[in-house]
Amino acid sequence: MLLECSGISKRFGGVHAVAEVDLAIAPQQVFGLIGPNGAGKTTLVNLISGHLRVDSGAIRFAGADVTGLAPHTLTARGIARTFQGVRLFKGLTALENVLVGGHARMHSDALRRLWPRGASDRSDRERAVQLLERLGLSRPDALAGGLAYGDQRRLEIARALASDPRLLILDEPAAGMNPAESARLRELMRALVTEGLTIVLIEHDVRLVMGTCERVAVLNFGRKIAEGTPPEIQASPAVREAYLGSEYAA
Amino acid sequence: MDALADFLRVYQTTVGVIGINALLALSVWLTLYAGQLTLGNAAFMAIGAYGSALLGMRMGVPFPLGLTLGALLAAALALPLGLAVFRLRGVYLAIATIGFGEVLRVVLLTVPFTGKALGLNGIPAITELWHIYLSLAVVAYVLWRVQGSTVGRAWAAIREDEIAAASQGIAIRRYKLAAFVAGAAIAAWAGGLSAHLNFSIEPGDFGFTRAVQILVFAVVGGTPSVAGPIVGATLLTALPEVLRPLKEYRDIFAGLILMGVIIYLPRGLVTLAELRKTRRLQEIGVADVA
Amino acid sequence: MAEQLYNAIFVGSIYALFAVGFALVFSVLDILNLAHPVVFMLGAFVALFFMSTFGLPAALAAVAAFAVTGMFGIFLDRVAFAPLRRRGAPPLSAMISSLGFAIVVIRLMELRYGPDLVSYPAGSLPQTVLQIGDARLDGLRLLIIGLAIVLMVGLTYVVRATQLGRDIRALAENPRAARLLGVDVDRAIAATFFISSGLGGVAGALLGFAYNAIYPQMGTPYELKAFTVMVVGGMGSLPGAVLGAYILGIGEIAALVFLPAELAELRDALAFGLLFLVLVIRPRGLLGHRVADRA
Ligand SMILES: Nc1ncnc2c1ncn2[C@@H]1O[C@H](COP(=O)(O)OP(=O)(O)OP(=O)(O)O)[C@@H](O)[C@H]1O
Ligand SMILES: [Mg+2]
């Protein structure tokens, strides 16, 4: 297993945002995480990426205990993420955003990087431009904050990929994308998985989740109420009631 | 050439002070560039000034060594101070560093060793213009290079969004501390140079007013690039000379310029050269410092 | 001893009046208004103007100081803060803008009155001495303490119990939501500045009366003290500012009484040491309820 969460919990005052969640994610797949609004999906991501500390429970990544490590350390270990609300460095260009995304990879080389010299700097830039192109972003020198919303979402994915992660967590990446864009996103995810990446996909668009993921887990009120393949999830009465029910009933 | 020599003779002090102020402005620019508003650099300047002057006068330590020790002392103090205050942000951080500066100033006022309110007099005038401008050139060049490096980009990322920066693998605390400590050392170096330019120093030279003045140099000049603080310090230091015909109205103009810049040119005077980009940044809502 | 305590309360009252206005603007708009000391100074000079030109008695001159500096506060907001607010600039910009404003006003006042001490017209200030036991207390200061307390009670009433106060609190909580709820945001901001600056102006006038010596830079020392007061009490908390003010006032006088003369200078370090410690150990201060990373 690449990522294992055992019994992790997080409370905010009286709210049990994440309660006793167990999760085991095998490498090289797209793993879906769904649930109604406020179910605790984003909180779970924040726990895994180190932005929040678990109240109890343990997280293992690539065979090592990573509970309580800081976000930047986890990034260096290979966990990258995007944010539900898009958190780009708005005043920097698209290219600079991606270069910053490569920080974890570059900083081991601190002395040389402190003093950028021709070759290595140029190869960083070339790599960054390639990443941008792969995500369909053609203007590396545009300010990130000035991009259209869908472009900002894709730029955030490019930035996350720049750290060469082993696990990529996408928090509602398709929000604000049109159908064509989200179809391209789906292809991209499949391609990345073939190249060896593992993806955790949080998404409200059920069709996108069901059509992309190998496995899906469902959260409701902080608890995991089901896990399985997309057909299993669609057939589960508990899920229907908690989540799909509200949408399918209409 | 003669004209230049004459000019330098007449304006020697002003020219020296401009260089020192530019160094100070760069010292606070470092933390501003990383999005942290600190007002402690007047205090670090004091540490460099008193440190190098006392080492030289009381113990006969040679000038370059005294300067270096003063800068190291400031850096050594900045490290624990930074660890303590960098949990704070925005105005809280600013106020905490003001508090530190005021405590230091009052201590200087009270301790006989530093000459109390009278300060130190008869400091040998060792500083030459080329000392100042060589320091400025080296500091500006190094900062310029670092700005374009991984480290500089990490600072910019922290300024734009700390949480997202942490997610890119940037050790936030460490980078903030590095900017703060390096800024302290530069300020102390400038302080040592200015002590040996001016013959005398006193605690009042390094108070709140001074801290604010240093910040104003950097902000008016502009924070996007290393050139900004240098331009700001040069203009604002030379301004009283330039505005001499305006006599007693010149401070009023300085105040108005300050307001005008922060309201209409939030990234500073240097961005006059790239007005379109500034407009764009304003539309996005990220044009402002810190 | 009684005299010292009396002075401590007097000093604390002035700090409180000064800091409450400072804290009000900070709590509502997140602005550190570095022009507040200027308003304080203007209050003293406005009172002087009304007393020497129109022969107004000190009490009425204080009222005039409140009204004029209050209006001046609205002007200050329009000039120094409103343009920045419109583009959503961060707190640092507002701080620097108010600093530029302060420099301009102080210099203008120095041009008009000179940088030196100015006194109120002879005989215009009441001079009574209260003899209690063997303590001789300045009667004027007692009046000032009383007035300060009345003003702060009045402020509490306005903020807590009136519609205007509710609007201001809604604005402090969340400007966008306040607007949606139908709060006239511009009016609430203007009121905030009127009250804040009015109180600052009165504080200046009262301090001027007590010392009978005013000068254009007289607000500057209070600015640094007000930082301490606000931080100790809890940034943005009005009761906290009052509490912090009296703690600082009493602490300073205590230092004066108990510290040996040659260390008297350390009195000021006490204030700033306190400031620094509170920020490092308990950034939200005594009565602050929000965490330190607001700003
Ligand atoms: N920082 C916080 N402080 C207090 N409560 C929080 C915090 N973050 C999340 N919560 C609460 O925890 C619960 C889970 O929130 P979370 O954002 O994880 O849900 P989500 O599944 O991501 O929802 P959505 O689909 O709307 O993004 C909610 O009730 C939310 O209000
Ligand atoms: Mg969410």
Side-chain angles (χ1 to χ4, degrees):
Chain A
M1 289 294 139
L2 182 66
L3 178 75
E4 285 171 90
C5 302
S6 30
I8 60 174
S9 298
K10 181 74 189 176
R11 307 182 71 115
F12 295 111
V15 183
H16 232 127
V18 170
E20 306 277 324
V21 169
D22 293 309
L23 215 55
I25 298 177
Q28 285 223 32
Q29 60 162 331
V30 181
F31 188 97
L33 192 59
I34 62 174
N37 288 108
K41 304 178 295 289
T42 299
T43 307
L44 185 58
V45 172
N46 283 334
L47 293 173
I48 296 171
S49 68
H51 285 93
L52 289 173
R53 264 169 191 273
V54 294
D55 293 337
S56 59
I59 304 173
R60 294 177 68 77
F61 180 71
D65 183 15
V66 296
T67 322
L69 292 186
H72 67 266
T73 319
L74 290 167
T75 307
R77 300 251 186 134
I79 300 181
R81 67 170 291 186
T82 64
F83 293 87
Q84 183 171 351
V86 183
R87 306 191 73 134
L88 288 169
F89 308 119
K90 291 187 185 161
L92 306 188
T93 65
L95 181 75
E96 285 167 334
N97 269 273
V98 176
L99 285 171
V100 172
H103 184 89
R105 230 170 20 81
M106 300 176 188
H107 91 131
S108 54
D109 219 0
L111 252 184
R112 201 176 89 211
R113 304 291 176 174
L114 196 58
W115 208 259
R117 251 176 304 163
S120 64
D121 196 48
R122 216 171 307 130
S123 75
D124 287 344
R125 280 166 196 277
E126 272 161 23
R127 235 186 70 102
V129 171
Q130 277 165 12
L131 258 177
L132 286 170
E133 277 167 4
R134 179 157 192 197
L135 270 292
L137 297 162
S138 51
R139 289 161 48 215
D141 291 324
L143 288 172
L147 295 175
Y149 194 63
D151 287 348
Q152 294 202 6
R153 288 226 168 264
R154 283 201 298 273
L155 175 55
E156 225 193 353
I157 298 175
R159 182 180 70 180
L161 286 173
S163 63
D164 278 344
R166 299 165 74 180
L167 176 69
L168 172 65
I169 310 177
L170 302 174
D171 197 348
E172 304 200 12
M177 285 188 184
N178 60 36
E181 286 177 316
S182 76
R184 273 206 299 277
L185 174 65
R186 182 172 173 263
E187 277 160 35
L188 174 74
M189 287 191 281
R190 295 312 318 173
L192 288 168
V193 165
T194 336
E195 289 163 28
L197 192 66
T198 310
I199 296 177
V200 172
L201 172 66
I202 294 165
E203 194 44 73
H204 276 298
D205 180 346
V206 176
R207 208 170 308 150
L208 180 63
V209 175
M210 296 305 173
T212 317
C213 302
E214 273 85 0
R215 289 181 74 76
V216 177
V218 186
L219 288 187
N220 195 21
F221 294 114
R223 295 191 179 276
K224 189 172 87 174
I225 57 169
E227 187 186 327
T229 60
E232 284 168 2
I233 293 298
Q234 272 164 323
S236 154
V239 176
R240 260 167 197 279
E241 193 189 315
Y243 180 69
L244 303 175
S246 57
E247 291 185 8
Y248 279 56
Chain B
M1 223 43 226
D2 280 353
L4 181 66
D6 281 347
F7 175 82
L8 281 182
R9 219 177 356 265
V10 176
Y11 289 104
Q12 170 130 27
T13 324
T14 309
V15 172
V17 172
I18 285 176
I20 285 168
N21 284 345
L23 275 171
L24 291 167
L26 283 175
S27 78
V28 81
W29 173 84
L30 254 176
T31 40
L32 273 181
Y33 193 72
Q36 311 302 310
L37 171 58
T38 60
L39 285 166
N41 285 19
F44 293 123
M45 182 192 179
I47 290 169
Y50 275 90
S52 65
L54 285 170
L55 284 169
M57 289 160 69
R58 304 267 158 89
M59 296 171 212
V61 174
F63 183 49
L65 185 60
L67 278 179
T68 311
L69 289 176
L72 287 178
L73 181 62
L77 263 172
L79 191 65
L81 177 67
L83 280 173
V85 300
F86 270 114
R87 285 188 310 143
L88 306 169
R89 281 185 210 153
V91 289
Y92 292 86
L93 178 62
I95 293 178
T97 48
I98 292 172
F100 165 73
E102 288 299 304
V103 170
L104 182 80
R105 189 177 62 85
V106 178
V107 168
L108 292 176
L109 269 176
T110 318
V111 180
F113 184 64
T114 57
K116 294 196 169 184
L118 292 179
L120 301 177
N121 290 292
I123 305 168
I126 308 173
T127 303
E128 307 265 351
L129 281 187
W130 70 265
H131 297 156
I132 297 173
Y133 281 88
L134 180 63
S135 308
L136 179 60
V138 170
V139 168
Y141 179 71
V142 170
L143 291 185
W144 176 66
R145 290 305 294 255
V146 171
Q147 188 191 15
S149 75
T150 317
V151 176
R153 277 199 302 268
W155 281 332
I158 293 171
R159 177 187 71 221
E160 298 281 326
D161 187 330
E162 266 188 38
I163 291 179
S167 249
Q168 313 313 315
I170 296 167
I172 307 282
R173 275 275 200 105
R174 210 173 303 158
Y175 276 85
K176 283 190 196 171
L177 261 183
F180 186 60
V181 170
I186 296 172
W189 184 273
L193 287 173
S194 94
H196 292 84
L197 183 74
N198 285 344
F199 181 74
S200 72
I201 50 177
E202 55 176 69
D205 298 341
F206 309 103
F208 179 56
T209 317
R210 182 89 212 183
V212 168
Q213 187 195 36
I214 295 173
L215 176 70
V216 166
F217 289 149
V219 170
V220 167
T223 44
S225 75
V226 174
I230 300 177
V231 169
T234 309
L235 280 182
L236 292 181
T237 313
L239 199 62
E241 302 293 330
V242 178
L243 292 183
R244 200 170 283 278
L246 291 170
K247 295 208 190 82
E248 56 271 89
Y249 295 101
R250 66 189 184 198
D251 277 340
I252 297 174
F253 274 86
L256 290 176
I257 289 174
L258 184 55
M259 284 180 77
V261 166
I262 201 75
I263 291 175
Y264 298 108
L265 277 177
R267 281 156 59 86
L269 284 176
V270 287
T271 55
L272 268 177
E274 36 179 274
L275 263 182
R276 271 186 48 212
K277 185 175 176 196
T278 306
R279 292 266 156 69
R280 193 90 187 93
L281 286 162
Q282 269 181 359
E283 281 163 25
I284 303 170
V286 290
D288 298 87
V289 280
Chain C
M1 205 49 221
E3 272 172 60
Q4 303 292 7
L5 187 64
Y6 181 66
N7 279 333
I9 294 175
F10 166 72
V11 171
S13 301
I14 296 288
Y15 286 166
L17 270 187
F18 184 98
V20 153
F22 208 23
L24 181 65
V25 166
F26 183 80
S27 70
V28 176
L29 298 163
D30 270 345
I31 291 174
L32 212 51
N33 176 12
L34 293 187
H36 200 62
V38 163
V39 172
F40 179 80
M41 170 271 289
L42 280 180
F45 278 93
V46 169
L48 172 69
F49 176 76
F50 278 95
M51 287 158 75
S52 58
T53 311
F54 299 116
L56 240 52
L60 282 183
V63 174
F66 180 86
V68 172
T69 52
M71 294 308 292
F72 185 80
I74 296 176
F75 170 71
L76 158 70
D77 173 55
R78 289 287 141 81
V79 174
F81 300 129
L84 295 169
R85 196 160 51 234
R86 249 175 265 134
R87 78 155 193 265
L92 170 62
S93 308
M95 215 172 117
I96 293 176
S97 172
S98 62
L99 180 74
F101 187 89
I103 293 173
V104 173
V105 177
I106 289 180
R107 286 298 177 262
L108 283 173
M109 290 301 283
E110 281 181 350
L111 284 181
R112 172 69 182 75
Y113 290 95
D116 301 324
L117 296 178
V118 184
S119 312
Y120 287 94
S124 63
L125 297 171
Q127 282 175 335
T128 43
V129 174
L130 308 173
Q131 187 81 35
I132 300 176
D134 47 0
R136 290 170 55 83
L137 309 180
D138 181 353
L140 182 59
R141 293 189 180 191
L142 188 64
L143 276 176
I144 291 174
I145 294 172
L147 186 57
I149 292 173
V150 168
L151 282 171
M152 284 182 287
V153 171
L155 174 67
T156 313
Y157 173 77
V158 169
V159 172
R160 291 263 161 90
T162 65
Q163 183 58 43
L164 179 64
R166 274 188 288 279
D167 287 357
I168 291 178
R169 276 180 295 147
L171 177 64
E173 213 46 59
N174 183 339
R176 208 171 302 161
R179 206 180 282 277
L180 288 177
L181 289 172
V183 172
D184 184 343
V185 170
D186 294 328
R187 182 170 150 270
I189 291 176
T192 302
F193 272 97
F194 183 85
I195 297 172
S196 158
S197 300
L199 290 176
V202 170
L206 296 182
L207 185 82
F209 294 163
Y211 294 159
N212 197 12
I214 64 180
Y215 58 103
Q217 300 263 18
M218 65 187 270
T220 313
Y222 287 84
E223 177 170 46
L224 289 169
K225 300 279 167 74
F227 288 157
T228 309
V229 165
M230 288 209 300
V231 164
V232 170
M235 287 295 271
S237 155
L238 299 186
V242 175
L243 181 67
Y246 285 105
I247 290 179
L248 182 63
I250 291 172
E252 283 187 348
I253 301 285
L256 196 66
V257 174
F258 296 117
L259 281 180
E262 68 268 22
L263 291 182
E265 295 282 5
L266 278 180
R267 197 181 74 194
D268 285 334
L270 192 94
F272 300 115
L274 191 66
L275 163 78
F276 188 71
L277 272 186
V278 172
L279 271 176
V280 170
I281 295 168
R282 190 181 160 87
R284 67 204 178 91
L286 294 176
L287 302 182
H289 46 97
R290 295 214 228 165
V291 264
D293 61 11
R294 246 177 91 197

